[in-house]
Each structure stands twice: as C-alpha cells, then as structure tokens.
Amino acid sequence: MREEEEEGSWFARWEEELPSPEELMPLSQTLITPDLALAFDIPTPSSSNHHQHQQQHHHHNSNLQTDLDSSDLNGSGGAGAGAGGGDEPARTLKRPRLVWTPQLHKRFVDAVAHLGIKNAVPKTIMQLMSVDGLTRENVASHLQKYRLYLKRMQGLGSSSSGASCSPADAATDQLFASAPIPHHFLRGGGGGGGGGGTGPAEATFVPFVPVAALQHHQQMVAAAQQQQQQFYHHRQQQQIGHFGSPVGFDHGFLTRGQPQLQPGMHRMVPPVPAASYVDDLEEGSRGGGGSGSGSGGGSGAGRRVLTLFPTGED
DNA sequence: CTCGGAATAT
DNA sequence: CATATTCCGA
C-alpha cells in the first residue's frame, strides 16, 4: 500500500535561506504571491512594507506552514533518513508543475527565435534560457504547445489583433500574445531548401545572450513553483504577485546544471555574464479596444479576468 | 543511451 | 486547458 508522495524536501529549508528584502531585485520574475510570502512569514517588500494588503480574502488554511514544518525534514526532522549521505534532497521528489509565466514564455520564444526552428529543440532552448529548474521535459512540453499555437495561427489568416474566434483561444492567446512572435516560424520554413548546405538558421549561431547572470529570476521561479503546488493544487489561473528575487539562494535545486555539452557543440554560455539581455517586458494594454473588458458585467460573464501579468513592477 | 516529438495522463 | 508523463522513433 504505497500511498502518495511525501513531499517536503529540498525546499524544506529554503525558508531559512530566504533572501533579505534588500537583496531583492526589482526586476524579479514576479512570482510568489503576497499571500504566500505572508504565510511563510518571509519579508517581502509588500508585506513587510507598510501599505498594500492582500486584496483577496483568502482563508487558505494555513496549514501550509504546518505541513511544511511537520514534513520538514531538514534539520530536525531528519528527513529521511539519513541515509547517509546527505545527499541533496532534490531528486526522488516530484517537482511542482511549472508555471509558464509570460516572462518565461518570452524567454522561451526569444530562445526559439534566436535559435531558429532548426535548432529550436528542447535541450538547446533550455540551455539558452538558462532557467534554473527548467527541464527538457518542461520545454518540450511547452514547445509542443507552442508549435500547435503557431500552426493554428498559420491556418488562420490571423484575425489580426486579438480576434479570437473561439473563447478557448482567448486564454491561449493571452499567454502567447505576451510573446512577440519573431517570425513566422512556419513549418517547412527554415532552411528548407536550400540546397545546399548553407542553412540560414543552421550554422548561424546567433549570439543570443545567454543570460546567465539573471539567476535571481530563475531561482525564484523554482521556489515559486514549489509554493504554488504546495498551496493549491488548484486549477489554472493563479494570480501572480510581485516579489523580489532571492539572490544567492542556492539550494542545489537541480543537480543537472546545464553544462551538458555535446560533442561538436560549443559552449554557448560564455563565461562572461552578458547581462546585456534586457527583458523587455511587454506592456501591452490590450483589452480590446473598447470592448468592455472587465468583469463587469455583464452578461453572464462569470469569468474573472485577472491580469495575468505581474502587475507592476515596482 | 540520449534526444526529439507526439500521444496520453493528470 | 495547462503541464506532466509516457511511449516511440531517430
């Protein structure tokens, strides 16, 4: 009778290693909802700061903390057994669902764009993204969906902005809409033909800036993911609050690191942190011109339109 | 065996 | 519906 998983491990102790507010960067990935932060008792710019309370009355049974505590196996609890080894708690556990935020997606798209359809394979994309915690599977899965999206779009004359035919697309569009589609990555394009050998997007190693220095965001991503799953197993749509980035918070989330060089492949990540990569967050006010977005009222709309975006930078 | 891609499951 | 997981082919 083996029951379900026993969570709690790697992040068990991350709480202690939490970053100080001053360490937080304004450019954070904006994850971790304020509620979470509060629940965790972690100082967040919002919570610790005066002003701004949670807007949503959540009665979430704060057993989350309790759970964590009890489950906590880090120091006291002994997680496990020791096993000797002090091995990283990571491994063997299921990791939380990855939440593809617009930012993450943007990076994803950027990577794909700069790589070219041909090189846009999960592994490469993953490496280019340099997002800690991102696995090939994650990217592959998303890539799959992304391709479908592109394909779908191709089939449609693209009703220009925003016009979604079906409501279903609307949701999908939102996420993808946040990312500027570089080219029409249409299938069959690329080098295609050519004959020859010179594939345009082939040997052209675009010096895409492999942001390796943006760890803050990434680490937080990982951390945030855990929390999300921890808190709610809920359905889609979780609101994102803004938060800073835990810097220097390394719990060895992934042992895999990224360096899995392949023969013949140059290390695309130069030692020099090219921080020049600017995540230009898209600020798009869409909503359809004129259309009443909002939840108002209308008719029947019981759908709450949350701003998927991290509202607000600081 | 690793990787990529779609199918399938949750 | 969004991801994860699984399966299969290269």
Side-chain angles (χ1 to χ4, degrees), chain A residues 19 21 41 47 54 68-69 80 87 127 142 158-159 161 181 197 211 213 223 244 269 278 282 290-291 298 309:
Chain A
D41 212 72
S47 64
Q54 81 285 32
L68 264 175
D69 257 305
D87 37 65
Q127 291 182 196
H142 191 68
S158 78
S159 328
S161 26
I181 301 175
V211 248
V269 233
V278 272
E282 286 235 338
S291 38
F309 248 106

Side-chain angles (χ1 to χ4, degrees), chain A residues 143-190:
Chain A
L143 181 61
Q144 191 176 35
K145 203 183 72 168
Y146 184 62
R147 280 172 171 162
L148 281 173
Y149 170 76
L150 291 177
K151 193 171 282 191
R152 201 178 177 93
M153 206 167 242
Q154 292 160 22
L156 304 173
S158 78
S159 328
S160 288
S161 26
S164 314
C165 292
S166 33
D169 289 344
T172 315
D173 282 353
Q174 287 194 51
L175 208 194
F176 288 170
S178 49
I181 301 175
H183 284 239
H184 315 79
F185 299 138
L186 303 190
R187 281 248 180 161

Side-chain angles (χ1 to χ4, degrees), chain A residues 105-237:
Chain A
H105 182 68
K106 164 117 190 202
R107 275 185 84 110
F108 167 85
V109 174
D110 271 353
V112 174
H114 285 120
L115 281 167
I117 309 298
K118 292 177 71 182
N119 295 321
V121 292
K123 198 181 185 180
T124 314
I125 297 171
M126 180 188 64
Q127 291 182 196
L128 253 175
M129 289 178 72
S130 281
V131 173
D132 198 4
L134 242 192
T135 68
R136 186 173 66 85
E137 274 71 54
N138 284 138
V139 177
S141 196
H142 191 68
L143 181 61
Q144 191 176 35
K145 203 183 72 168
Y146 184 62
R147 280 172 171 162
L148 281 173
Y149 170 76
L150 291 177
K151 193 171 282 191
R152 201 178 177 93
M153 206 167 242
Q154 292 160 22
L156 304 173
S158 78
S159 328
S160 288
S161 26
S164 314
C165 292
S166 33
D169 289 344
T172 315
D173 282 353
Q174 287 194 51
L175 208 194
F176 288 170
S178 49
I181 301 175
H183 284 239
H184 315 79
F185 299 138
L186 303 190
R187 281 248 180 161
T198 28
E202 189 164 3
T204 37
F205 262 43
V206 185
F208 175 76
V209 172
V211 248
L214 307 182
Q215 304 176 337
H216 336 317
H217 305 183
Q218 317 168 354
Q219 309 209 348
M220 185 174 36
V221 170
Q225 290 168 13
Q226 308 167 16
Q227 304 181 41
Q228 288 173 0
Q229 159 138 25
Q230 289 266 320
F231 282 104
Y232 20 45
H233 225 197
H234 254 174
R235 309 182 167 212
Q236 46 190 357
Q237 281 295 30

Side-chain angles (χ1 to χ4, degrees), chain A residues 292-309:
Chain A
S293 34
S295 1
S299 26
R303 193 124 174 168
R304 188 181 292 185
V305 205
L306 289 178
T307 327
L308 196 57
F309 248 106

